[in-house]
Amino acid sequence: MALARSFAGYRATVIPTLRREQRRWRGPAEAIPDPVLRRQALAALEGKARNVEAVGVFATLAPRAQRGRAIRVMTALQIAVDYIDTLSEAAAENPLEDGLQLHRALVAGLTPGAEAEDWYRLHPQGDDGGYLSALVAACQESLRRLPSQAAILPLARRAVERCGEGQSYTHAAGAAGKGGHDPAESLERWTNELDGPPDYRWWEVAAGASSSVAAHALIAAAARPRATEQEAELIDAAYFPPVGALTVLLDDLIDRDEDAAAAEHNYMAYYRSSEDAANRLELLAGRASAAVAKLPQRRRHEAILAGVAAFYLSAPEASTAFARPIRDRLLDALGQGARGLLAVMRLRRP
């Protein structure tokens, strides 16, 4: 029942506003002066639109009175994440430092009053006509009016900083692999410096850190009156690493064959076999379920977790010989609600 209510609320009260916000950024992207940046911004808007729809589900955690503001923050933030992710695939002289500099914009977006800086300082192109600064300003403007932003934003900023670092090191690992170097060396070293919990493999911590879901869950908490720092800590611990790791690993599961053909970095490649991956993702699902069960609005967080799994497992690529055991074990771990959402999402896929 909670799953059905959350999904109905998402379709009725989130999707229309979210799509209006997505359309709002089409014009600014088309107006970017540099043709390379313009092409990359439009490619991110069009090719990664489902990412924005996926994180928009966190708006169902926000009270209706604050839901519009939360959606505006989440949409602008995820569009910025996807745009910078696309930029980070460019051939910069120093991919890691370029990525880290670009991702500083995400932290600024969750810091009301922070001034714009030269985020493109190390990038081959830089004339975006103020596009990235406008995304940052849109986040800041709506955040100021969220009732619990003072208590929640410090951890939300840490979450986007972690996400930016994770994506930067992941792209650098991909570039290193194409150059014949060990793609995991710097990524593993960075992961070992994170304050990750024990009993996770290093790439599972890295995957969890690279996800933006913790930041979106915390933004939703900032929209709730009287949310506390203690609640923020519980939310962050639930989404980093377990829910975030599942999100990134399932995304890489779907992209596994495509990434292998293009020699792109993929976290699923670190598992010894399909069975090894199935065992570990089932374990992560159990940890994620246990962690979200401790949260305020636990039923909605549980619905989001089931929705994350169903979103990825409904893809045709989840039915390959390698992916099938992982899909089946996860559905068993997450229960009937995930199976029901899977059936719905299969119908909605193009």
Side-chain angles (χ1 to χ4, degrees):
M1 185 63 76
L3 278 170
R5 284 198 301 269
S6 294
F7 189 71
Y10 169 69
R11 297 292 301 164
T13 69
V14 172
I15 284 291
T17 304
L18 186 148
R19 288 182 176 164
R20 281 198 301 272
E21 287 296 310
Q22 287 179 297
R23 289 193 296 270
R24 168 188 171 188
W25 293 104
R26 176 84 191 189
E30 290 174 337
I32 292 174
D34 185 283
V36 175
L37 295 180
R38 181 170 64 249
R39 184 170 62 251
Q40 290 171 323
L42 290 170
L45 281 176
E46 294 164 5
K48 301 185 178 185
R50 289 179 70 89
N51 290 350
V52 180
E53 289 196 15
V55 300
V57 73
F58 288 98
T60 61
L61 297 164
R64 285 182 181 267
Q66 299 292 341
R67 195 164 289 177
R69 294 187 185 109
I71 292 170
R72 283 191 287 276
V73 178
M74 291 173 187
T75 304
L77 178 64
Q78 190 60 40
I79 288 173
V81 168
D82 291 337
Y83 172 56
I84 294 170
D85 184 54
T86 303
L87 294 180
S88 297
E89 296 169 0
E93 183 176 344
N94 188 325
L96 176 59
E97 295 303 321
D98 179 42
L100 292 171
Q101 178 66 16
L102 286 166
H103 281 95
R104 287 170 61 89
L106 304 182
V107 179
L110 299 193
T111 310
E115 296 184 358
E117 58 179 278
D118 185 6
W119 296 303
Y120 295 94
R121 181 168 55 84
L122 303 175
H123 199 68
Q125 293 82 31
D127 186 8
D128 74 351
Y131 179 69
L132 186 53
S133 293
L135 287 166
V136 167
C139 290
Q140 293 174 338
E141 180 183 356
S142 293
L143 277 175
R144 287 191 184 96
R145 302 176 67 183
L146 296 183
S148 296
Q149 53 97 4
I152 303 299
L153 283 188
L155 267 180
R157 281 191 290 271
R158 176 60 191 127
V160 293
E161 181 180 39
R162 192 171 60 216
C163 170
E165 290 176 357
Q167 294 201 4
S168 298
Y169 276 93
T170 300
H171 282 295
K178 290 179 180 178
H181 305 296
D182 180 1
E185 185 178 355
S186 61
L187 179 60
E188 183 176 1
R189 188 166 55 246
W190 167 74
T191 302
N192 290 334
E193 295 172 357
L194 291 174
D195 187 21
D199 301 325
Y200 282 78
R201 295 180 183 175
W202 71 261
W203 62 87
E204 294 165 351
V205 177
S210 301
S211 174
S212 64
V213 292
H216 290 291
L218 288 162
I219 290 165
R224 289 176 40 240
R226 297 179 295 281
T228 66
E229 294 176 16
Q230 290 73 24
E231 290 175 22
E233 290 171 358
L234 286 173
I235 292 168
D236 192 52
Y239 282 86
F240 169 68
V243 179
L246 273 179
T247 302
V248 171
L249 290 167
L250 286 173
D251 187 46
D252 277 10
L253 176 67
I254 300 310
D255 293 340
R256 178 176 174 269
D257 292 343
E258 182 180 338
D259 286 346
E264 296 287 349
H265 180 271
N266 187 296
Y267 282 108
M268 295 302 296
Y270 294 110
Y271 291 108
R272 295 186 299 271
S273 64
S274 174
E275 181 65 18
D276 182 35
N279 288 338
R280 293 298 301 178
L281 266 67
E282 181 182 30
L283 178 64
L284 291 177
R287 289 178 177 174
S289 295
V292 300
K294 301 174 184 176
L295 301 181
Q297 301 176 289
R298 59 169 288 190
R299 296 297 184 193
R300 291 191 180 185
H301 283 282
E302 289 168 347
I304 288 170
L305 175 58
V308 165
F311 174 75
Y312 290 108
L313 297 178
S314 64
E317 294 84 353
S319 297
T320 65
F322 181 90
R324 247 189 335 267
I326 300 169
R327 180 198 63 194
D328 294 344
R329 295 276 286 280
L330 280 177
L331 290 173
D332 287 343
L334 294 172
Q336 286 302 117
R339 290 184 183 277
L341 283 177
L342 175 69
V344 172
M345 290 186 182
R346 277 178 172 163
L347 292 173
R348 292 187 62 236
R349 279 191 176 270

